[in-house]
């Protein structure tokens, strides 16, 4: 395996040489490393700087990139695990050379998560994290971070796989990226509340081919019940842009207020806030001094996430324009017009053409062209 040293943030480590011309997923190297996940790792570092944690489990280390960085850049004791022998050799080398304070273990993630406990647990598997969240729910004392790269099942493109993994029904439409995030979050909450633990999303986002959750876990049946209150459904009209939301474990039967069609229930999923404004603000404050390679992208992402309204779905302004057969004004103008009318309106981090608003469809239509 040809190795190269790379620098991310304030850290250095060896990774398998990358073929720049290869399409995603990256190569068939015996140990996995994806340069395009730098922003995901940068955000882990930035968020951890805002949290109170003494130790961190990188449950699926691969090259050890994440754990090495947490050890160097956050001054948190990192335990880097992987089940693959080849990954462990590389992690060991990286630890000795770049982060001697870190600890390395070779174990199935579900085994180490069942035997030991850590302040922060980070699961970053190939594809779905579903098989690991149950053990992680007991293992994480304070925080649980989850990456999912199986966006096709989550977003409804692979419907049956999504239903098997997350026991929820997605809908593959213009806001599927948000539905995917909320289905994963809803699933994580269901895995966690059964242990009488509460869940609070600190900062969750979807980007290109992955979803990333950062959750705070608390204790007590009361807090678990509070988290459960955010489980619910989006009801989407199959004929027009109308949709509504509902909280509760069971879906209601609802009809479109615009055209009368029976609505399609999407979920169960998380219908509460996906991020905390105060956490985003702390991350914004920390960002300039954090020496992160993706600083500019993070700056934009945080600003958009901070403004994003708390509805569980967004409108795509191109889809609306096609539906009403109008040529739209600039998206910023639509948002300004809605705000001038006294409605709340924002862009979304999920898509450049997305709008969230509490305005009824008739008002959106008026503001569109
Ligand atoms: C996507 S990679 C991790 C990438 C890494 N966190 C990073 O940011 O560079 C997934 C890793 O999980 C490991 N893995 C897969 N299943 C596992 C399991 N059940 N227990 C522990 N590690 C596992 C694989 O060997 C692989 O190295
Ligand atoms: Zn309708």
């Amino acid at each position: 395996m040809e190795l190269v040293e790379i620098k991310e943030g304030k850290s250095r480590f060896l990774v398998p040489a990358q073929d720049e011309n290869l399409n995603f997923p990256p190569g068939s190297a015996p140990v996995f490393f994806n340069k395009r996940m730098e922003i995901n790792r940068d955000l882990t570092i930035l968020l951890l700087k805002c949290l109170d944690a003494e130790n961190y489990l990188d449950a699926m280390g691969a090259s050890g990139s994440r754990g090495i960085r947490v050890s160097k850049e956050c001054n948190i004791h990192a335990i880097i695990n992987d089940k693959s022998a080849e990954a462990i050799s590389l992690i060991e080398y990286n630890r000795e050379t770049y982060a001697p304070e870190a600890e390395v273990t070779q174990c199935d993630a579900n085994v180490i998560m069942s035997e030991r406990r850590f302040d922060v647990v980070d699961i970053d598997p190939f594809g779905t994290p579903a098989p690991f969240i149950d053990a992680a729910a007991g293992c994480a004392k304070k925080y649980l971070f989850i990456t999912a790269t199986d966006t096709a099942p989550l977003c409804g493109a692979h419907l049956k796989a999504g239903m098997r993994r997350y026991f929820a029904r997605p809908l593959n439409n213009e806001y599927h990226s948000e539905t995917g995030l909320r289905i994963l979050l809803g699933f994580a909450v269901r895995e966690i509340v059964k242990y009488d633990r509460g869940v609070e999303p600190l900062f969750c986002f979807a980007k290109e081919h992955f979803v990333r959750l950062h959750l705070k876990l608390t204790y007590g049946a009361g807090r678990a019940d509070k988290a459960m209150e955010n489980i619910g459904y989006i009801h989407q009209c199959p004929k027009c842009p109308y949709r509504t939301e509902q909280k509760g474990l069971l879906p209601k039967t609802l009809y479109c207020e615009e055209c009368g069609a029976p609505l399609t229930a999407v979920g169960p999923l998380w219908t509460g806030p996906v991020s905390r404004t105060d956490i985003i603000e702390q991350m914004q404050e920390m960002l300039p001094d954090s020496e992160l390679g993706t600083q500019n992208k993070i700056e934009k992402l945080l600003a958009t996430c901070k403004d994003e309204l708390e509805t569980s779905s967004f409108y795509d302004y191109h889809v609306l324009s096609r539906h009403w057969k109008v040529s739209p004004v600039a998206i910023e103008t639509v948002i300004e017009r809605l705000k001038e009318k006294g409605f709340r309106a924002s862009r979304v981090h999920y898509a450049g053409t997305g709008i969230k608003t509490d305005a009824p469809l008739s008002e959106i239509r008026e503001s569109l062209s």
Side-chain angles (χ1 to χ4, degrees):
M1 176 166 56
E2 191 193 339
L3 297 166
V4 287
E5 185 185 73
I6 68 151
K7 184 170 188 290
E8 259 190 28
K10 294 178 191 165
S11 310
R12 291 177 184 281
F13 44 87
L14 291 193
V15 300
Q18 310 269 299
D19 181 344
E20 298 289 337
N21 299 320
L22 274 182
N23 287 327
F24 184 81
S28 51
V31 179
F32 181 93
F33 181 74
N34 185 0
K35 234 175 125 142
R36 289 170 60 188
M37 282 296 204
E38 183 176 359
I39 187 168
N40 183 326
R41 287 183 288 271
D42 277 357
L43 281 159
T44 302
I45 299 300
L46 185 61
L47 177 60
L48 279 174
K49 288 182 178 197
C50 306
L51 304 178
D52 167 36
E54 283 175 9
N55 50 56
Y56 165 95
L57 173 68
D58 180 356
M60 285 106 176
S63 65
S65 59
R66 236 174 242 277
I68 299 282
R69 292 195 58 188
V70 168
S71 177
K72 297 299 296 175
E73 296 172 53
C74 307
N75 213 6
I76 293 175
H77 180 61
I79 297 87
I80 312 174
N81 179 71
D82 204 287
K83 73 170 180 188
S84 136
E86 274 161 320
I88 288 295
S89 316
L90 180 55
I91 296 169
E92 266 299 353
Y93 178 89
N94 279 333
R95 183 193 67 82
E96 267 172 46
T97 318
Y98 303 102
E101 312 78 18
E103 180 189 333
V104 179
T105 60
Q106 182 179 2
C107 215
D108 187 287
N110 279 333
V111 173
I112 188 170
M113 290 193 293
S114 304
E115 288 176 345
R116 293 173 64 181
R117 301 195 72 205
F118 306 92
D119 286 350
V120 191
V121 172
D122 199 330
I123 52 181
D124 184 13
F126 294 129
T128 179
F132 303 103
I133 302 180
D134 174 69
C139 175
K141 289 191 204 167
K142 295 182 173 178
Y143 305 107
L144 174 56
F145 299 171
I146 301 170
T147 301
T149 52
D150 60 332
T151 46
L154 275 170
C155 296
H158 298 159
L159 185 63
K160 283 188 174 168
M163 294 196 296
R164 285 198 306 274
R165 287 173 192 171
Y166 303 106
F167 222 84
R169 198 169 199 302
L171 184 66
N172 189 11
N173 66 357
E174 68 275 17
Y175 56 82
H176 60 70
S177 46
E178 179 160 14
T179 308
L181 185 153
R182 289 178 179 279
I183 282 184
L184 176 64
L185 185 47
F187 176 80
V189 167
R190 300 202 301 282
E191 291 286 83
I192 295 163
V193 293
K194 67 193 180 194
Y195 296 112
D196 286 353
R197 302 196 69 183
V199 189
E200 200 188 332
L202 296 179
F203 177 62
C204 303
F205 68 100
K207 203 168 170 44
E208 292 153 13
H209 60 284
F210 69 92
V211 177
R212 179 75 166 159
L213 309 181
H214 301 98
L215 312 175
K216 181 180 174 182
L217 271 50
T218 53
Y219 294 90
R223 292 202 181 97
D225 287 341
K226 269 231 122 5
M228 280 281 285
E229 285 170 14
N230 288 301
I231 298 293
Y233 295 83
I234 299 168
H235 293 266
Q236 174 62 53
C237 180
K239 297 202 171 136
C240 82
Y242 179 82
R243 79 284 307 261
T244 185
E245 291 174 31
Q246 170 227 321
K247 292 199 194 289
L249 202 55
L250 301 174
K252 295 178 180 159
T253 302
L254 298 174
Y255 297 88
C256 179
E257 289 186 4
E258 300 283 320
C259 73
L263 300 182
T264 306
V266 185
L269 44 70
W270 177 263
T271 60
V274 300
S275 294
R276 249 172 56 181
T277 311
D278 63 320
I279 293 286
I280 295 182
E281 283 167 354
Q282 282 182 51
M283 290 167 79
Q284 285 175 319
E285 236 168 78
M286 287 283 192
L287 183 60
D289 293 330
S290 295
E291 289 182 40
L292 300 174
T294 63
Q295 180 176 336
N296 293 344
K297 284 184 187 165
I298 291 179
E299 203 177 311
K300 281 188 202 132
L301 177 66
L302 292 178
T304 314
C305 290
K306 191 176 144 187
D307 285 348
E308 201 169 283
L309 296 191
E310 284 175 12
T311 60
S312 294
S313 69
F314 60 85
Y315 298 98
D316 182 288
Y317 105 127
H318 286 153
V319 171
L320 292 180
S321 310
R322 276 200 299 276
H323 180 77
W324 289 320
K325 301 190 173 62
V326 296
S327 55
V329 295
I331 187 163
E332 284 302 345
T333 313
V334 181
I335 289 170
E336 279 316 307
R337 285 180 180 173
L338 288 167
K339 285 183 178 167
E340 276 163 20
K341 290 180 185 174
F343 297 106
R344 297 173 70 214
S346 77
R347 301 192 69 154
V348 304
H349 82 275
Y350 301 99
T353 50
I355 297 177
K356 287 200 175 197
T357 178
D358 56 1
L361 281 171
S362 56
E363 298 285 352
I364 305 175
R365 184 174 184 169
E366 251 183 37
S367 308
L368 200 63
S369 61

